[in-house]
């Protein structure tokens, strides 16, 4: 904001105060409540301050504390417009704070299992596991008081602040916990610690250190901290270790004569260079009268992980594997995930097969599921398959080469069918973090090629067949459901696209509608940004026993079947298919609960992965403080723009106050900032030259300055 703007704001404020008659200052909670009763309406902060007679200094701070206290006590609450209003006094409820199935905080009443949405205030300090007293307002729980603190410790990094020690929390609770003392373990500045919350003051939660989890100079501090903070299990219980010791170290073909023997089929696995657990193997051959036979063989995890066993309980608790730059936290013990279940080359393995007949037009005409014994011929990488597609030679025997050629042919047919039904096909930008000696050395963009898409289409076909098979036999399992944009989100998307020169009518969108938009973006430099906007307008995919279809894939039914080593939802589907084949259906009465849990663990894994990546990127960016970069605007907000820096692929915030000597107004529909005096417009996709000014690893913030602007700060807690 310019000095002129500041002066103008101050002048307007002074004039408003001069027109207000002198009133007695109301700072007692009872007086503030009486003020609300007299006004009989919601009020925002400026009006409350004016009517209470508060002018400046300590009185303003005291009034804020009174309002905060009345919100905590439940006498007041803040509505969706940011106004304070009286809480309805007639309904009170006690309960425990939990995480709901859509990721939001909910209140579970004592003695019940209903989920009441929690209305959060800006300064809310709730944690999962807190026992609270609340009032119901418009169907939402307004927290009046925390009656018992969660016993789970807060995980975060200790900071020696100018006014004392505090911990910057990670995980579900993001805020500060001020330390009564450093406690046990003699934590140092920057160490990751566990803190027991002991109380709350006006400035925040208070607590004491009970454990030092990782010293600041630990090269794996990011992963250790965030895995612990989000409650991801990393140790195996003794009963799981005991179960693993009882497993065979190899598959004996003689023991599985009741299975179909497909060891003569030249199946191969196709994965990335650094993959270690191989869920799926593929084979394809042309049919004499046209079309193809497509075989997708999936690791038969259900033969080793029995429902209700210790292995099953732990796999369900984890929900999925978590992939981080420096490690993998597997859903199954390594003896299974990388050993007995993994479809390693030149070894016999148990598998569940989806054997499909695909027409020349890419339609799966018939399919069959059966348990089998297989023998993978080779482990092939995406890079090798891409080279084969380009050059036609891979160095493998003729059967494998023939299968790969047929796979590429069936892929093109499946892709044509995908385009015909209007499924979304976005190449969202992905990145790979390259570590050396535990430190991030570079960020590499990941480019998908036909090899990736070939496997993707084969897996989608098998997943659809799994859903069709179970529906046909009236067997229950978990669908992978994906809902389209809400009317509100679609309206915002439509306006944003209009400013980008792309017109959409106001009819409810279909996948084909949005894919048509994506096709118009093919040669635009802002293609990736606009595709990301379209993706963000849709609901997050989740697991549910109730089928509502998959909007993104334009499919009426869809399940996850092809990755049971790393996703528990796929194991649920395998068990259901096995029950049908054995004519012995399994109990699936728990599917609602399992679906909600797996949706949460999936989001948890995403949060950890994203948090570790951001942490490492901040440490990496610290070495570039003071340097100038060219970059691209990838997001626009009312407080500034986020710019991705060329060459290092790191994003930072260019705050609106650092955009130059002008006052900028945010236009959300156009996703742009416009200068009031200059008329300068900053929008998505614009190229800017910026200075990397400051890095704060604790809060994972990277601050930028417009090139030519004086300033720049020292990096805070960068790499050692």
């Amino acid at each position: 904001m310019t000095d002129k703007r500041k002066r103008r704001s101050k002048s307007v404020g002074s004039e408003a105060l001069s027109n207000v008659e002198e009133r007695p200052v109301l700072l007692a909670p009872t007086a503030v409540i009486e003020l609300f009763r007299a006004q009989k309406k919601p009020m925002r902060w400026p009006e409350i301050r004016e009517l209470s007679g508060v002018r400046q200094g300590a009185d303003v701070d005291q009034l804020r504390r009174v309002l905060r206290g009345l919100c905590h006590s439940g006498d007041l609450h803040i509505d969706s417009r940011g106004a304070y209003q009286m809480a309805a006094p007639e309904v009170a409820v006690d309960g425990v704070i939990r995480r709901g199935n859509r990721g939001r905080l909910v209140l579970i009443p004592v003695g019940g299992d209903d989920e009441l949405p929690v209305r959060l205030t800006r300064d809310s300090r709730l944690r999962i596991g807190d026992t609270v007293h609340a009032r119901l307002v418009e169907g939402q729980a307004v927290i009046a008081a925390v009656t018992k603190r969660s016993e789970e410790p807060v995980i975060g990094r200790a900071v020696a602040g100018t006014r004392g020690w505090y911990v910057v929390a990670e995980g579900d609770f993001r805020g500060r916990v001020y330390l009564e003392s450093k406690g046990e373990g003699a934590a140092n500045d920057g160490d990751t610690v566990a803190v027991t919350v002991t109380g709350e003051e006006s400035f925040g939660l208070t607590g004491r250190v009970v454990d030092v989890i990782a010293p600041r100079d630990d090269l794996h501090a990011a992963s250790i901290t965030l895995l612990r903070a989000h409650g991801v299990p990393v140790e195996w219980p003794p009963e799981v270790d005991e179960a693993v010791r009882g497993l065979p170290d190899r598959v004996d073909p003689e023991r599985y004569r009741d299975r179909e023997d497909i060891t003569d089929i030249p199946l191969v696995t196709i994965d990335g260079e650094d993959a270690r657990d191989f869920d799926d193997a593929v084979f394809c051959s042309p049919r004499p009268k046209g079309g193809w036979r497509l075989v997708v063989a999936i690791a038969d995890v259900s033969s080793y992980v029995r429902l209700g066993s210790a292995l099953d309980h732990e796999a369900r608790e984890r929900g999925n594997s978590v992939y981080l730059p420096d490690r993998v936290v597997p859903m199954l013990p390594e003896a299974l995930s990388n050993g007995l279940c993994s479809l390693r080359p030149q070894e016999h393995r148990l598998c569940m097969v989806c054997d499909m007949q695909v027409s020349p037009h890419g339609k799966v005409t018939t399919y069959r599921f059966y348990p089998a014994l297989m023998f993978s011929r080779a482990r092939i990488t995406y890079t090798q398959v891409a080279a084969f597609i380009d050059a036609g030679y891979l160095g493998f025997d003729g059967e494998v080469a023939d299968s790969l050629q047929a796979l590429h042919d069936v892929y093109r047919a499946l892709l044509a069918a995908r385009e015909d039904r209007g499924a979304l096909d976005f190449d969202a930008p992905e990145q790979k973090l390259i570590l050396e000696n535990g430190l991030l050395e570079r960020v590499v963009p990941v480019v998908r090629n036909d090899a990736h898409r070939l496997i993707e289409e084969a897996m989608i076909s098998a997943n659809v067949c799994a859903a069709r098979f179970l529906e046909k036999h009236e067997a229950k399992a978990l669908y992978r459901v994906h809902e389209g944009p809400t009317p509100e989100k679609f309206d915002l998307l439509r306006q944003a696209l209009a400013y980008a020169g792309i017109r959409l009518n106001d009819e409810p969108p279909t996948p084909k509608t949005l894919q048509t938009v994506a096709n118009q973006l093919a040669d635009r430099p802002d293609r990736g940004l606009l595709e990301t906007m379209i993706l963000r307008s849709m609901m997050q995919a989740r697991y549910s026993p109730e089928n509502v279809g998959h909007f993104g894939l334009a499919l009426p039914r869809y399940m996850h079947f092809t990755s049971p080593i790393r996703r528990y939802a796929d194991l649920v589907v395998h068990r259901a298919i096995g029950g049908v084949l054995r004519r012995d259906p399994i109990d699936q009465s728990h599917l609602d609960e399992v679906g909600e849990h797996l949706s949460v663990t999936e989001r948890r894994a995403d949060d950890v992965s994203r948090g570790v990546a951001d942490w490492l990127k901040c440490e990496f960016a610290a070495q570039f403080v003071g340097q100038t970069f060219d970059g691209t605007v990838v997001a626009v907000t009312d407080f500034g723009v986020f710019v991705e820096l060329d060459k290092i692929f790191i994003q930072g915030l260019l705050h609106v106050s650092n955009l130059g000597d002008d006052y900028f107004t945010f236009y959300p529909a156009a996703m742009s900032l416009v200068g009031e005096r200059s008329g300068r417009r900053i929008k998505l996709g614009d190229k800017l030259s910026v200075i990397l000014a400051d890095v704060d690893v604790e809060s994972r913030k990277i601050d930028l300055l417009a090139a030519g602007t004086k300033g720049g700060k020292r990096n805070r807690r960068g790499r050692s």
Side-chain angles (χ1 to χ4, degrees):
M1 183 182 292
T2 63
D3 291 341
K4 180 178 178 180
R5 182 78 180 186
K6 291 178 181 177
R7 288 195 299 271
R8 181 169 57 199
S9 298
K10 182 177 180 180
S11 174
V12 171
S14 300
E15 182 180 349
L17 286 175
S18 66
N19 293 329
V20 178
E21 62 183 68
E22 291 296 325
R23 295 181 174 87
V25 176
L26 305 177
L27 292 177
T30 52
V32 173
I33 289 295
E34 288 302 320
L35 175 63
F36 272 87
R37 288 173 176 163
Q39 295 297 313
K40 299 180 180 179
K41 65 175 184 177
M43 292 186 288
R44 295 178 180 271
W45 164 251
E47 185 177 6
I48 298 171
R49 178 178 171 179
E50 177 183 335
L51 293 174
S52 65
V54 168
R55 292 294 178 265
Q56 60 185 1
D59 286 348
V60 174
D61 294 337
Q62 175 63 18
L63 180 59
R64 287 189 183 277
R65 285 193 291 270
V66 169
L67 291 172
R68 185 182 299 120
L70 290 172
C71 287
H72 286 171
S73 67
D75 294 290
L76 298 179
H77 73 89
I78 303 176
D79 63 22
S80 58
R81 298 177 294 107
Y84 292 85
Q85 62 177 270
M86 294 283 291
E90 63 276 6
V91 181
V93 62
D94 294 314
V96 179
I97 299 297
R98 298 294 184 206
R99 177 71 66 188
N101 64 340
R102 294 299 179 95
R104 300 175 180 175
L105 293 185
V106 296
L107 177 65
I108 308 298
V110 173
D113 55 5
D114 294 334
E115 293 187 355
L116 302 175
V118 173
R119 179 172 291 178
L120 297 175
T121 60
R122 182 174 298 178
D123 59 346
S124 177
R125 296 161 186 160
L126 290 177
R127 298 176 57 222
I128 293 175
D130 283 348
T131 302
V132 300
H133 178 70
R135 292 178 178 176
L136 293 185
V137 178
E138 299 173 353
Q140 293 182 312
V142 178
I143 308 304
V146 176
T147 56
K148 182 181 178 182
R149 299 285 175 185
S150 169
E151 295 181 359
E152 284 295 315
V154 171
I155 309 299
R157 299 185 81 176
V159 178
T162 56
R163 297 184 179 180
W165 285 75
Y166 61 87
V167 169
V168 181
E170 302 283 357
D172 289 308
F173 173 73
R174 294 303 301 271
R176 292 182 177 182
V177 179
Y178 294 86
L179 300 182
E180 299 169 349
S181 67
K182 285 199 296 180
E184 301 174 8
N188 296 311
D189 189 20
D191 289 352
T192 295
V193 297
V195 176
T196 294
V197 175
T198 56
E200 180 178 3
E201 300 291 344
S202 60
F203 48 80
L205 297 179
T206 59
R208 58 184 178 85
V209 174
V210 293
D211 188 20
V212 177
I213 295 172
R216 176 184 174 180
D217 57 0
D218 190 323
L219 296 178
H220 303 288
S223 295
I224 293 171
T225 300
L226 289 167
L227 287 169
R228 178 75 178 272
H230 286 273
V232 177
V234 295
E235 301 292 337
W236 299 106
E239 54 270 25
V240 170
D241 290 333
E242 182 179 351
V244 169
R245 285 193 293 270
L247 294 172
D249 57 1
R250 57 184 289 273
V251 174
D252 181 2
E254 296 300 319
R255 293 185 55 194
Y256 299 100
R257 292 184 177 275
D258 58 331
R259 289 176 170 252
E260 291 202 28
D261 188 336
I262 59 171
T263 55
D264 60 325
I265 296 179
L267 289 155
V268 297
T269 61
I270 302 175
D271 294 275
E273 278 78 1
D274 54 357
R276 296 176 61 193
D277 50 352
F278 308 127
D279 289 282
D280 56 86
V282 291
F283 164 78
C284 190
S285 62
R287 298 169 63 196
K289 295 183 179 181
W292 301 267
R293 178 193 183 190
L294 176 59
V295 178
V296 174
I298 305 299
D300 191 359
V301 175
S302 63
S303 289
Y304 302 105
V305 182
R306 301 294 186 180
L307 183 64
S309 66
L311 277 172
D312 177 59
H313 177 80
E314 185 65 17
R316 174 176 165 177
E317 179 63 26
R318 296 183 178 217
N320 42 257
S321 298
V322 181
Y323 294 87
L324 303 175
D326 63 342
R327 72 188 64 200
V328 175
V329 181
M331 184 183 80
L332 299 173
E334 189 170 344
L336 285 170
S337 61
N338 296 343
L340 199 56
C341 289
S342 185
L343 306 183
R344 300 194 300 199
Q346 304 298 309
E347 295 186 29
H348 288 94
R349 286 291 182 265
L350 304 184
C351 61
M352 180 67 76
V353 177
C354 180
D355 200 331
M356 297 168 276
Q357 303 291 325
V358 184
S359 76
H361 301 292
K363 303 292 184 182
V364 177
T365 54
T366 61
Y367 60 87
R368 188 166 67 96
F369 285 92
Y370 53 87
L373 178 72
M374 63 165 285
F375 189 81
S376 174
R377 296 291 179 85
R379 177 265 201 273
I380 306 176
T381 67
Y382 291 124
T383 303
Q384 290 175 310
V385 175
F388 172 82
I389 292 172
D390 292 339
Y393 174 73
L394 195 61
F396 292 100
D397 63 47
E399 284 187 316
V400 171
D402 291 344
S403 175
L404 288 174
Q405 183 58 58
L407 280 167
H408 189 229
D409 293 339
V410 76
Y411 153 68
R412 288 183 291 190
L414 292 171
L415 181 62
R418 177 192 183 112
E419 293 172 348
D420 184 58
R421 71 175 186 266
L424 300 178
D425 188 16
F426 294 161
D427 281 334
E430 297 181 22
Q431 297 175 340
K432 182 176 181 180
L433 276 58
I434 307 299
L435 303 185
E436 292 186 15
N437 300 319
L439 293 174
L440 177 61
E441 288 302 319
R442 62 188 184 279
V443 181
V444 180
V446 176
V447 179
R448 292 174 69 245
N449 53 39
D450 276 0
H452 296 84
R453 300 186 185 96
L454 179 155
I455 293 299
E456 180 181 299
E457 288 302 322
M459 298 305 116
I460 289 174
S461 298
N463 287 335
V464 171
C465 288
R468 290 172 61 185
F469 178 81
L470 291 176
E471 282 190 0
K472 176 182 177 181
H473 294 279
E474 299 181 347
K476 291 286 188 179
L478 288 173
Y479 290 93
R480 180 65 168 177
V481 299
H482 183 219
E483 298 162 88
T486 63
E488 296 78 13
K489 285 190 174 182
F490 179 65
D491 189 52
L492 290 174
L493 174 65
R494 188 167 54 83
Q495 294 179 51
L497 291 173
Y499 278 93
I502 299 172
R503 301 292 176 181
L504 282 176
N505 58 40
D506 56 1
E507 296 178 0
T510 65
K512 184 169 284 190
T513 301
L514 298 182
Q515 185 58 43
T516 300
V517 171
N519 294 337
Q520 298 177 45
L521 304 176
D523 300 321
R524 293 179 55 139
D526 57 354
R527 173 185 176 182
L529 303 177
L530 294 174
E531 286 183 347
T532 300
M533 288 178 59
I534 295 173
L535 289 172
R536 289 178 177 173
S537 73
M538 293 180 279
M539 302 288 284
Q540 189 172 21
R542 57 189 174 87
Y543 295 106
S544 171
E546 301 300 325
N547 181 29
V548 297
H550 197 292
F551 183 89
L553 294 174
L555 291 169
R557 62 188 62 81
Y558 192 65
M559 289 180 177
H560 274 167
F561 161 77
T562 56
S563 296
I565 289 178
R566 61 186 179 89
R567 291 189 306 227
Y568 191 85
D570 301 53
L571 180 55
V572 171
V573 172
H574 274 243
R575 286 172 175 156
I577 292 173
V580 172
L581 295 176
R582 295 188 306 271
R583 299 183 180 180
D584 181 23
I586 61 174
D587 179 20
Q588 298 283 45
S589 58
H590 59 291
L591 284 179
D592 279 312
E593 176 189 347
V594 174
E596 292 180 7
H597 172 71
L598 297 182
S599 298
V600 170
T601 61
E602 181 184 42
R603 285 192 294 269
R604 179 178 70 182
D606 290 341
D607 290 343
V608 173
S609 179
R610 184 168 47 249
V612 170
D614 289 346
W615 184 319
L616 295 176
K617 285 179 179 180
C618 284
E619 290 186 332
F620 174 69
Q623 64 186 303
F624 301 110
V625 168
Q627 296 186 27
T628 300
F629 292 87
D630 292 329
T632 304
V633 176
V634 295
V636 183
T637 71
D638 58 344
F639 53 83
V641 297
F642 288 90
V643 180
E644 183 170 286
L645 308 182
D646 295 350
K647 298 182 181 179
I648 64 172
F649 305 104
I650 302 290
Q651 293 183 16
L653 172 65
L654 178 58
H655 195 270
V656 67
S657 62
N658 294 325
L659 287 174
D661 189 19
D662 202 347
Y663 180 81
F664 284 82
T665 301
F666 176 54
Y667 292 89
M671 292 301 290
S672 63
L673 290 168
V674 179
E676 188 177 87
R677 294 201 311 270
S678 65
R680 178 191 178 194
R681 181 184 296 273
I682 302 174
K683 62 185 185 303
L684 284 175
D686 281 356
K687 302 294 291 187
L688 297 178
S689 183
V690 296
I691 301 170
L692 202 163
D694 186 32
V695 177
D696 186 353
V697 177
E698 273 80 20
S699 60
R700 251 100 71 205
K701 292 180 180 178
I702 297 176
D703 293 328
L704 307 174
L705 294 172
T709 304
K710 293 183 179 181
K713 307 173 185 177
R714 295 179 58 192
N715 59 294
R716 287 176 276 177
R717 305 183 191 283
R719 62 169 58 191
S720 301

